[in-house]
Amino acid sequence: MHIADKKKWLRYSVSAAFLIIAIIFARAVWPIIAPFFVAIVLAYVVNPWLKRTGRLGIPLIVSLIIFYVYVFLGIYCLVMFTAPIIIEQLQNLFAYLPQLFDQLKAAGNQILPGNETGGTADMLQGFGKDIAQSLEKRLTGYGDTLAAKVMTLPKLLVFFVLSPFLSYYFLRDKKNILARIMSLIAPLRRIEFLRLMRELDHLLRQFISGYLLISLIISIMSAVFYYIVGLDYALLLGVFMGIAELIPYVGPY
C-alpha cells in the first residue's frame, strides 16, 4: 500500500472514530443539547422565510414572531378540528372490530364450507382479536403515559420556549457562525465546500417539501373519496394513508 493510501485510510479511520465518539457523547448529554439541536433545525426551516421578509425591511425578531404565531395557530386549529373526529372514529373502530372479525369468519366459512376452514377461521379470528386487544391496551396505556408526562410539563415548556429563543440568536449571528465554520476548511477547498452545501440545501428542501406535499395531497384525496363513497372512518383512514405515504415503497401499497 502506498504512503498516500495509508494516510488516506488513517484519516478515514480517525474521522470514523471521532464520529462514533461524538455520537456516544451526544447520546449521553442529549437532554442538555436537545434544545440547541431543535433550535438549529428551526433556524434552518425559518431561514427562507426570513430572507423574503428581510427584503421587505421587516426586522428579524418581528419576522420570527409572525412565523411562530402562524405555525402555532395552524397546529392549534388542526388539532382542534381534527383530533375530536379522529378520537371518535378510533373509539367506534375498536367497538366495531369484534363484529368485523365475526364477519370475516362467516365469509371464510362461505368460501370453504364445512370443517375445511373451521380451524383456520378460528385461528385468524383469534389472531385478529389479539391484535385489536393489544392496540386497545397500547392506546389506553398512552393515556397513563400522557398523565405522567404532565408531571414534567414545566420541563417541556422550558424546552419549547428555549428552542425558538435560541434559534433567534443562531439566526442573528448566522454570518459569524458560518465564518467560524469556514475558517476550519482549507482555503483551497472553501469554494467547493460552499458549492456542495448549496446543492445539498437545495436538494434537501426540495425533497422534504415534495414528500410532505405528496403526503398531504394523498391524505386529503383519500379522506374525501372515502367520505363520498360512504366509507366509515373516512378521516381516520385518510390520515393513515397520508402517513403511510411517507414510508418508501411500503406506503403506497
Side-chain angles (χ1 to χ4, degrees):
M1 184 180 291
H2 297 291
I3 296 177
D5 294 334
K6 289 183 179 180
K7 289 183 178 179
K8 183 185 296 184
W9 280 108
L10 179 62
R11 186 165 60 248
Y12 289 158
S13 301
V14 171
S15 300
F18 178 77
L19 180 61
I20 293 172
I21 294 172
I23 292 173
I24 295 173
F25 177 76
R27 289 191 63 181
V29 298
W30 176 249
I32 299 174
I33 66 173
F36 294 91
F37 177 78
V38 175
I40 292 173
V41 174
L42 285 174
Y44 177 75
V45 172
V46 177
N47 193 48
W49 162 269
L50 296 179
K51 287 182 179 178
R52 295 187 181 93
T53 55
R55 298 190 191 103
L56 301 176
I58 301 176
L60 174 63
I61 185 65
V62 176
S63 299
L64 276 176
I65 292 174
I66 294 173
F67 179 85
Y68 288 135
V69 166
Y70 273 122
V71 170
F72 289 137
L73 282 177
I75 294 174
Y76 176 79
C77 294
L78 182 65
V79 171
M80 289 299 295
F81 282 111
T82 61
I85 300 174
I86 292 177
I87 292 174
E88 180 184 359
Q89 292 188 357
L90 271 174
Q91 292 173 344
N92 294 337
L93 177 61
F94 282 119
Y96 173 67
L97 282 177
Q99 181 183 351
L100 175 62
F101 294 132
D102 291 337
Q103 292 176 357
L104 290 175
K105 180 180 178 181
N109 289 331
Q110 290 180 357
I111 296 173
L112 294 174
N115 295 326
E116 299 178 18
T117 189
T120 304
D122 291 336
M123 181 184 69
L124 290 175
Q125 185 185 33
F127 180 68
K129 287 183 177 179
D130 290 340
I131 294 177
Q133 291 174 359
S134 175
L135 287 174
E136 190 171 6
K137 289 180 181 178
R138 190 176 293 272
L139 289 174
T140 304
Y142 286 155
D144 300 333
T145 305
L146 183 61
K149 289 291 185 182
V150 171
M151 302 302 295
T152 61
L153 189 60
K155 294 181 180 179
L156 293 176
L157 287 176
V158 170
F159 178 83
F160 284 112
V161 170
L162 185 60
S163 295
F165 186 74
L166 289 172
S167 68
Y168 164 73
Y169 285 99
F170 283 134
L171 289 165
R172 191 191 67 175
D173 299 330
K174 179 178 64 175
K175 293 182 179 179
N176 294 330
I177 294 173
L178 292 177
R180 293 289 182 88
I181 295 174
M182 292 302 299
S183 66
L184 302 175
I185 309 298
L188 296 177
R189 298 184 179 273
R190 289 177 185 174
I191 297 177
E192 181 67 15
F193 177 78
L194 287 174
R195 186 185 66 81
L196 289 174
M197 288 299 101
R198 290 193 188 97
E199 291 182 2
L200 180 61
D201 173 65
H202 176 73
L203 292 175
L204 185 61
R205 290 187 184 278
Q206 293 294 322
F207 176 79
I208 294 176
S209 60
Y211 237 82
L212 293 178
L213 182 60
I214 291 173
S215 175
L216 178 63
I217 292 173
I218 292 294
S219 181
I220 294 174
M221 290 180 62
S222 299
V224 171
F225 176 76
Y226 295 151
Y227 178 78
I228 291 175
V229 300
L231 189 66
D232 294 330
Y233 323 114
L235 181 59
L236 179 62
L237 291 174
V239 172
F240 175 76
M241 291 288 290
I243 296 174
E245 186 65 26
L246 294 174
I247 305 173
Y249 301 106
V250 179
Y253 289 103

